[in-house]
Amino acid sequence: MPEGNEIYRYAHLHREKFVGKTICVETPNGRFPDAPLLTGRKLKAVLAHGKHLGYDFGRDRKLHVHLGRFGDFTEGKMPFPEAKGALRMRWSTRTDWLELRGAIDCSIYTDEQWQALENRLGADPLALNADPSPAFAYVQKAKLAIGALLMDQTIFAGIGNIYRAELLYRAKQNPFTAGKDVSARTLKAIWKDAVKLMPDGMVDRRIVTTRAKDRPHKTGKALRDETHYVYHRHGKPCFVCGTTIRRTEMAGRTLYWCPKCQPDETGAERAFLARSKPIREPEGARETSPRTAAHIRKE
């Protein structure tokens, strides 16, 4: 699923190419029936909050897009290429075109609906002057694991599965620890790290969270298998301590962590895994378990 860095990257790109221009909006596969309500209008602004995009066409009409896990945009210079695949929406100006496929939502919001969405979402590390204090206050009273809380978009908007795993690793925080048992200092460090790392991921769609000193190749650009400390590295040795990276399921997504660098100081990890069913690990890795958390609020 595209995380906040990707959403803001699209917002910046679309703002530069389309704001102030009259847009022709089409729906080649018919799955955006409200296209005629927008076509011929001038795009006034592009908004982003967490994993949501808003395209303001004025007069109480905002196009809301949530890419979900598989949604994506493609863009280019006119003329259009041949329409291929499940092309839900396509728009154009005299010089540029944009195509949308795979989004879980592409619908028109009123200004009131957009504001209600923003009010429901949590603090966004990519938003200018975002205030994380309500998120900190919630977490410090929560019995739910910090690894699940970071995925709750009503608490922290825009943080997804990659950043969850990597931010917790960089903070040396065990992901199973209850929110109420995470120190205020650690919460502030995680937020500060997110504010630093996530804009870097807007540049070229490449999320790099490892520090040069921790990589096998300590000079030059991070190689493909050196970009993350734990994400998608289950069964492999930790770059820092050599311990096998583990995985399990939390909040409906696969969680990755290092048992040594992120120690289980409260016993929460042991308890979580004891009540879960095991999943198959690569040869040489220790067995971990999946657990769903359907009640986590994903926006």
Side-chain angles (χ1 to χ4, degrees):
M1 179 183 290
E3 304 195 27
N5 64 299
E6 186 79 343
I7 300 306
Y8 273 77
R9 176 183 173 276
Y10 282 133
H12 177 73
L13 179 65
H14 299 167
R15 198 175 289 127
E16 286 193 334
K17 286 191 175 184
F18 297 107
V19 166
K21 298 180 181 180
T22 300
I23 310 295
C24 175
V25 184
E26 305 172 66
T27 177
N29 71 356
R31 292 192 60 209
F32 179 41
D34 289 334
L37 299 178
L38 300 179
T39 195
R41 288 178 174 267
K42 185 177 289 187
L43 181 63
K44 297 182 178 299
V46 181
L47 312 170
H49 193 146
K51 300 179 182 180
H52 298 257
L53 284 162
Y55 298 85
D56 188 355
F57 285 85
R59 297 185 183 180
D60 206 28
R61 290 183 185 176
K62 286 184 170 66
L63 172 65
H64 170 255
V65 174
H66 191 303
L67 294 176
R69 293 189 67 177
F70 306 109
D72 199 10
F73 289 102
T74 52
E75 58 275 323
K77 293 291 183 182
M78 292 294 286
F80 280 126
E82 180 184 354
K84 296 180 179 179
L87 184 50
R88 186 168 187 176
M89 181 186 71
R90 179 166 71 177
W91 73 21
S92 60
T93 64
R94 287 182 297 176
T95 57
D96 297 278
W97 57 265
L98 177 73
E99 295 181 338
L100 172 66
R101 293 175 175 82
I104 61 171
D105 187 58
C106 176
S107 60
I108 294 177
Y109 275 27
T110 64
D111 293 341
E112 183 179 356
Q113 286 175 309
W114 177 263
Q115 189 59 56
L117 170 66
E118 290 210 295
N119 292 343
R120 191 166 68 245
L121 294 172
D124 185 340
L126 285 165
L128 187 64
N129 300 320
D131 178 15
S133 55
F136 293 167
Y138 184 93
V139 170
Q140 291 178 313
K141 295 179 181 179
K143 295 180 180 180
L144 204 61
I146 184 62
L149 294 167
L150 284 179
M151 294 288 280
D152 188 333
Q153 298 297 297
T154 67
I155 303 173
F156 297 102
I159 294 176
N161 207 29
I162 299 176
Y163 283 114
R164 163 177 72 168
E166 297 297 300
L167 289 169
L168 288 170
Y169 177 87
R170 286 167 61 100
K172 306 305 179 189
Q173 175 61 56
N174 185 275
F176 303 92
T177 303
K180 64 184 181 62
D181 295 326
V182 177
S183 71
R185 181 177 180 179
T186 297
L187 283 177
K188 291 177 181 177
I190 290 172
W191 175 262
K192 185 177 180 179
D193 209 21
V195 170
K196 174 182 179 294
L197 288 177
M198 293 182 73
D200 292 342
M202 291 173 56
V203 178
D204 59 2
R205 307 182 76 170
R206 192 168 187 251
I207 297 176
V208 179
T209 58
T210 51
R211 300 177 177 92
K213 67 181 180 66
D214 296 330
R215 299 172 197 148
H217 300 88
K218 303 186 185 304
T219 58
K221 195 174 183 179
L223 301 182
R224 185 176 181 179
D225 59 352
E226 298 176 342
T227 55
H228 305 137
Y229 284 105
V230 292
Y231 181 76
H232 270 186
R233 296 197 66 249
H234 53 284
K236 298 179 181 178
C238 173
F239 289 140
V240 175
C241 73
T243 301
T244 300
I245 301 301
R246 301 187 69 184
R247 67 174 177 173
T248 191
E249 188 173 319
M250 179 185 285
R253 301 294 300 278
T254 303
L255 169 74
Y256 305 86
W257 81 104
C258 172
K260 185 173 182 180
C261 291
Q262 299 167 264
D264 181 19
E265 296 178 345
T266 65
E269 174 184 325
R270 184 171 62 254
F272 184 100
L273 297 177
R275 59 179 181 264
S276 304
K277 295 180 180 180
I279 60 175
R280 187 181 300 277
E281 290 286 3
E283 186 177 351
R286 291 192 295 173
E287 195 173 64
T288 55
S289 314
R291 178 175 179 250
T292 58
H295 62 287
I296 297 300
R297 294 162 289 179
K298 306 181 187 70
E299 292 287 350

